Amino acid sequence: MSAVDKAKNVVQQTVGKVEEAVGKKTDDAELTAQGQKDQAMGAQRQNVEKAKDAFKG
């Protein structure tokens, strides 16, 4: 789809990685889980965008 959507997905994955790392360092299980969730959501959205691009091409 658009480059903006793809960039948002990458940002969400990066934020998730940071949240997970901070959560592990501070022993905050909730923050760690939120980071993992954000990473998974970003990856899933990125896969949807790739599938849309494949159908267009």
Side-chain angles (χ1 to χ4, degrees):
M1 188 130 180
S2 76
V4 173
D5 290 336
K6 290 177 184 177
K8 285 181 183 179
N9 297 336
V10 171
V11 168
Q12 184 174 20
Q13 287 176 301
T14 303
V15 168
K17 288 179 185 179
V18 171
E19 286 177 338
E20 182 180 8
V22 171
K24 286 181 178 180
K25 283 285 188 184
T26 60
D27 292 326
D28 186 342
E30 187 175 332
L31 187 58
T32 302
Q34 181 63 39
Q36 291 170 345
K37 178 183 168 189
D38 284 345
Q39 288 179 64
M41 288 175 56
Q44 181 61 29
R45 288 180 182 169
Q46 196 74 336
N47 290 335
V48 169
E49 294 298 326
K50 287 179 184 178
K52 287 180 184 178
D53 289 345
F55 281 114
K56 287 182 181 179

